[in-house]
């Protein structure tokens, strides 16, 4: 298709370590996966790891920008949920620290895993410069609560923020007690990101991003034709504002 810069198949670890920031544009829908999708993904990951296999996650459509930012046009639900699983596993290691188990080693694991897969901690503001930036309705809750691994706010939250909270807690429950030590949780993360594969399609502009998105929208929580049209129309007027959420 004209407008596709290239397509490759690669694992999630390579995406995260590429030096790019992955931004979900304002016009994209909010986080919408629920327990059916969470469980399907978990069963796939659990089977993949127990059998030392691989799992194909489908297409990830990225619109390339100037610099190293990539806009996630299709695949945000999968990308966000995998990140939630990583964070839930990191929190399991944090609980071991809280219980006095291999404190120094596990602190190093938490710091290294967060820096690698979530973002670097600013030593002045103590805020994470996140690799994944969600849309305007999700990013604040993700940044202020989920990434910091603290108590997740419930009151005065939106429906989609409640879904994100439930998602994190659902995976946290699956991971609680699954492994005996921090090393095993770290190995779980490493095996997962090394063996979850995407076909990555890179496009050059909004028009071609929309065309590819419309063609490939055949998995996960389906979008209606109205949703697709709305996303495209919003994309045309959002171009000059796409990065404002990064500083809010």
């Amino acid at each position: 298709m004209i407008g596709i810069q290239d397509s490759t198949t690669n694992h999630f670890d390579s995406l995260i370590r590429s030096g790019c920031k992955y931004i979900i544009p304002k016009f994209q829908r909010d986080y919408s996966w629920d327990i059916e999708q969470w469980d399907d993904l978990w069963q796939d990951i659990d089977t993949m790891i127990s059998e030392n296999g691989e799992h194909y996650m489908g297409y990830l459509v990225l619109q390339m920008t100037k610099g190293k930012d990539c806009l996630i046009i299709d695949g945000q639900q999968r990308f966000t949920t995998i990140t939630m699983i990583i964070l839930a596993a990191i929190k399991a290691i944090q609980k071991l620290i809280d219980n006095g188990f291999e404190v120094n080693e596990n602190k190093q694991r938490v710091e290294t895993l967060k820096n690698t897969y979530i973002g670097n901690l600013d030593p002045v503001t103590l805020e994470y410069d996140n690799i994944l930036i969600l849309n305007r309705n999700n990013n604040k809750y993700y940044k202020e609560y989920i990434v910091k691994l603290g108590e997740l706010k419930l009151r005065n939250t939106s429906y989609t923020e409640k879904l994100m909270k439930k998602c994190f807690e659902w995976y946290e429950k699956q991971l609680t007690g699954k492994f005996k030590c921090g090393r095993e949780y770290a190995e779980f993360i490493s095996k997962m990101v090394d063996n979850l594969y995407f076909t990555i399609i890179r496009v050059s502009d909004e028009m071609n991003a929309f065309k590819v998105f419309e063609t490939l929208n055949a998995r996960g929580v389906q979008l209606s034709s109205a949703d697709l049209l709305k996303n495209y129309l919003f994309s045309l007027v959002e171009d000059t504002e796409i990065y404002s959420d990064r500083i809010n």
Side-chain angles (χ1 to χ4, degrees):
M1 181 184 292
I2 296 174
I4 293 180
Q5 292 181 323
D6 63 77
S7 62
T8 58
T9 298
N10 218 331
H11 48 70
F12 191 78
D13 186 70
S14 292
L15 286 168
I16 290 295
R17 293 178 184 269
S18 68
C20 293
K21 287 187 181 297
Y22 295 93
I23 302 170
I24 299 173
K26 295 178 183 179
F27 59 83
Q28 288 283 15
R29 59 179 167 168
D30 297 341
Y31 186 75
S32 60
W33 270 19
D34 209 331
I35 188 167
E36 180 180 356
Q37 290 83 28
W38 305 335
D39 187 62
D40 283 346
L41 178 57
W42 178 251
Q43 296 303 325
D44 289 337
I45 291 172
D46 203 32
T47 299
M48 175 188 75
I49 290 178
S50 64
E51 296 180 354
N52 292 316
E54 299 172 345
H55 182 67
Y56 178 60
M57 292 294 296
Y59 292 97
L60 182 68
V61 181
L62 303 176
Q63 181 186 332
M64 312 311 294
T65 68
K66 297 176 182 177
K68 288 191 173 182
D69 291 338
C70 299
L71 308 185
I72 302 179
I73 304 303
D74 191 21
Q76 63 138 316
Q77 306 291 332
R78 286 163 284 156
F79 199 112
T80 302
T81 305
I82 293 168
T83 304
M84 294 276 204
I85 298 172
I86 294 170
L87 282 163
I90 293 173
K91 189 168 184 179
I93 302 174
Q94 182 61 54
K95 287 181 179 178
L96 294 174
I97 296 170
D98 296 340
N99 291 327
F101 187 78
E102 296 183 342
V103 172
N104 291 332
E105 294 91 336
N106 283 328
K107 281 184 177 180
Q108 291 180 44
R109 289 189 179 102
V110 167
E111 181 179 359
T112 301
L113 289 167
K114 276 197 146 186
N115 285 342
T116 301
Y117 298 112
I118 307 303
N120 295 315
L121 184 67
D122 188 298
V124 177
T125 64
L126 299 181
E127 297 286 342
Y128 281 93
D129 183 19
N130 293 331
I131 296 170
L132 173 63
I133 300 171
L134 304 187
N135 75 4
R136 73 172 96 198
N137 295 328
N138 291 161
N139 196 56
K140 183 176 181 181
Y141 191 85
Y142 171 74
K143 182 177 180 181
E144 294 297 323
Y145 297 99
I146 294 177
V147 167
K148 293 182 179 179
L149 303 180
E151 183 178 352
L152 298 183
K153 180 182 177 183
L154 177 60
R155 297 185 64 183
N156 299 319
T157 54
S158 67
Y159 172 76
T160 186
E161 289 170 338
K162 288 181 173 66
L163 266 184
M164 294 168 66
K165 178 179 184 295
K166 288 179 181 178
C167 174
F168 181 87
E169 291 175 340
W170 193 88
Y171 284 115
E172 186 181 7
K173 182 178 179 180
Q174 309 312 308
L175 285 162
T176 298
K178 185 173 179 63
F179 303 110
K180 296 179 180 179
C181 61
R183 177 170 181 164
E184 291 183 356
Y185 280 105
E187 287 175 345
F188 163 79
I189 294 173
S190 179
K191 288 179 180 178
M192 179 178 69
V193 299
D194 278 344
N195 292 287
L196 290 178
Y197 281 82
F198 287 88
T199 295
I200 303 152
I201 298 177
R202 296 177 175 85
V203 296
S204 57
D205 55 49
E206 293 92 341
M207 176 66 78
N208 287 291
F210 174 72
K211 289 179 180 177
V212 173
F213 178 57
E214 183 180 35
T215 302
L216 298 176
N217 182 53
R219 60 188 53 83
V221 178
Q222 295 295 298
L223 293 184
S224 66
S225 297
D227 289 325
L228 291 167
L229 179 59
K230 180 192 70 175
N231 284 354
Y232 174 58
L233 292 176
F234 279 149
S235 75
L236 297 181
V237 299
E238 295 273 354
D239 187 50
T240 58
E241 303 174 1
I242 200 68
Y243 304 106
S244 63
D245 283 340
R246 295 176 58 181
I247 59 175
N248 291 338

